[in-house]
Amino acid sequence: MSEDRRLEVLRAIVEDYVQTREPVGSRVLVERHALGVSPATIRNDMAALEEGGFIAQPHTSAGRVPTDKGYRLFVDRLSTVKALSSPEKRAIQVFLEDAVDLDDVVDRSVRLLAQLTQQVAVVQYPSLRRSALRHLELVPVGDTRLLVVIITDTGRVEQRTLELTSAVPEQVVHELRARLNVAVAGRRLADARAPLEEIVHAFGVVEQPLVTSVITVVEDALAEESEERIVMAGTANLARSGTDFTQTIRPVLEALEEQVVLLRLLTEMAEDSAGVTVRIGRETQHAGLAETSIVAAGYGADGETVARIGSLGPTRMDYAGTIASVRAVARYLSRILAS
């Protein structure tokens, strides 16, 4: 059996099974696909694919279905990704461009991707630790309170209130605001610590406690782990795929509720590649997601990836279409963050 023909037979089995949800037999392959060989040859090819672990027979006298290994080979050899139509691209652009702030952008992106793929959409919120600082604002609130506003290059806004023991000197606040923005604008947390600490020495002994308090608030806010979170949409789409799971969708739903599971998975996928990555079945390394696949891509501003967006569904998913949708939404999301 030639390698090229084996891949063609596997491709045909995957495409038919994704479309029909029914095990695929040799007769169906002959009728639906111009493979250019006899039914007997196709049966031999299918036997070899089954022996190699790429397809399996769910029960006696049934056709064949792809295994995780078969899906992996199919995805790795996927030469073409379905292109989105011009109306689809325009709709994505218009829908996302109407967002009013970062929260709205993230919410729109996840709902849009769920609608495009009819699967569960997952968006990792831009991490403060991976974002660069755009602007720091200090706003006196009353006599002894100071509002610290942190704005990142991704449009994320964090606010912290600082309680002081004495009145807030307006001139000191003005000077501190100016020095902070000169020192940290465009820097990430790892690069901002040293310049922040140097600012303290630019002020007199009397002002240094206030300056130190503000800098501590900024550093603590940027270092918080709690900002690592995700937003999901389309969980109800899993109900439409109920027959794709051997037992029930309950293990999948329980895994989705544990955001730490998805955060770990997205982080690991980011380490694999900055582009589109696919984890299939047990590659997710979580029992609850063993019958699902996830397609994810990074997004960010100025060529820097700050988080990932993805689509999760049963292993019997339209990989080409899902990859195209995830890639398109990630690109538009990046453009908006960079604007």
Side-chain angles (χ1 to χ4, degrees):
M1 177 180 65
S2 72
E3 178 76 12
D4 290 342
R5 194 175 70 239
R6 182 184 70 175
L7 291 174
E8 279 299 299
V9 172
L10 177 62
R11 177 194 58 77
I13 292 173
V14 170
E15 291 179 353
D16 279 9
Y17 184 59
V18 166
Q19 182 178 3
T20 67
R21 300 190 182 187
E22 297 292 336
V24 182
S26 58
R27 180 180 301 176
V28 172
L29 292 178
V30 171
E31 293 173 351
R32 293 181 179 173
H33 302 272
L35 297 173
V37 294
S38 67
T41 300
I42 291 178
R43 285 193 293 272
N44 289 336
D45 290 346
M46 292 176 70
L49 285 168
E50 185 173 8
E51 184 178 354
F54 298 101
I55 59 176
Q57 188 175 32
H59 50 82
T60 307
S61 301
R64 304 299 189 271
V65 299
T67 63
D68 288 358
K69 184 178 179 181
Y71 283 126
R72 169 49 62 191
L73 180 60
F74 171 79
V75 170
D76 288 346
R77 299 299 180 90
L78 198 60
S79 58
T80 58
V81 173
K82 294 179 182 178
L84 296 183
S85 65
S86 295
E88 285 176 324
K89 293 178 181 178
R90 179 60 182 167
I92 293 174
Q93 182 179 359
V94 171
F95 186 68
L96 294 184
E97 283 182 346
D98 285 343
V100 296
D101 55 25
L102 179 62
D103 289 335
D104 195 18
V105 169
V106 170
D107 180 67
R108 285 170 177 259
S109 297
V110 74
R111 288 190 289 116
L112 175 63
L113 186 57
Q115 183 177 359
L116 288 172
T117 63
Q118 290 300 297
Q119 297 171 160
V120 179
V122 181
V123 178
Q124 184 182 19
Y125 214 81
S127 168
L128 284 174
R129 289 183 287 115
R130 287 191 295 270
S131 302
L133 298 175
R134 177 178 292 173
H135 184 73
L136 288 172
E137 187 60 54
L138 303 179
V139 183
V141 182
D143 293 334
T144 60
R145 300 178 68 189
L146 189 65
L147 181 64
V148 182
V149 183
I150 303 166
I151 305 173
T152 72
D153 61 343
T154 59
R156 181 163 181 175
V157 179
E158 290 289 319
Q159 299 182 8
R160 298 291 186 275
T161 300
L162 182 61
E163 296 286 350
L164 304 173
T165 58
S166 59
V168 180
E170 184 176 341
Q171 184 58 37
V172 174
V173 171
H174 178 76
E175 183 181 352
L176 178 55
R177 180 193 299 117
R179 288 184 178 275
L180 284 171
N181 282 293
V182 170
V184 302
R187 295 178 183 266
R188 295 193 176 191
L189 174 61
D191 303 321
R193 282 200 174 99
L196 284 173
E197 293 172 359
E198 291 176 2
I199 291 176
V200 178
H201 304 296
F203 289 84
V205 176
V206 176
E207 294 85 13
Q208 284 186 2
L210 168 62
V211 176
T212 300
S213 297
V214 171
I215 290 175
T216 300
V217 166
V218 172
E219 290 181 337
D220 289 347
L222 295 177
E224 282 183 359
E225 294 291 339
S226 59
E227 46 79 21
E228 294 286 0
R229 57 192 174 93
I230 58 174
V231 180
M232 286 190 298
T235 305
N237 289 330
L238 287 176
R240 303 186 184 96
S241 306
T243 56
D244 289 306
F245 304 106
T246 57
Q247 300 297 325
T248 67
I249 65 173
R250 182 175 178 178
V252 181
L253 295 175
E254 290 176 345
L256 293 179
E257 288 180 358
E258 300 178 33
Q259 290 204 0
V260 65
V261 173
L262 291 176
L263 282 170
R264 174 191 58 78
L265 184 55
L266 290 172
T267 299
E268 291 175 352
M269 295 176 76
E271 294 172 353
D272 292 343
S273 170
V276 178
T277 51
V278 182
R279 289 285 181 93
I280 299 170
R282 287 181 170 77
E283 292 176 357
T284 59
Q285 298 183 7
H286 190 282
L289 300 178
E291 296 184 86
T292 69
S293 293
I294 182 168
V295 178
Y299 72 90
D302 301 324
E304 293 287 339
T305 297
V306 296
R308 295 183 77 76
I309 181 172
S311 181
L312 181 145
T315 52
R316 186 202 60 83
M317 72 161 57
D318 176 9
Y319 288 96
T322 301
I323 290 172
S325 296
V326 169
R327 179 182 292 166
V329 176
R331 285 177 175 173
Y332 281 111
L333 183 53
S334 296
R335 291 178 189 174
I336 291 174
L337 293 180
S339 62

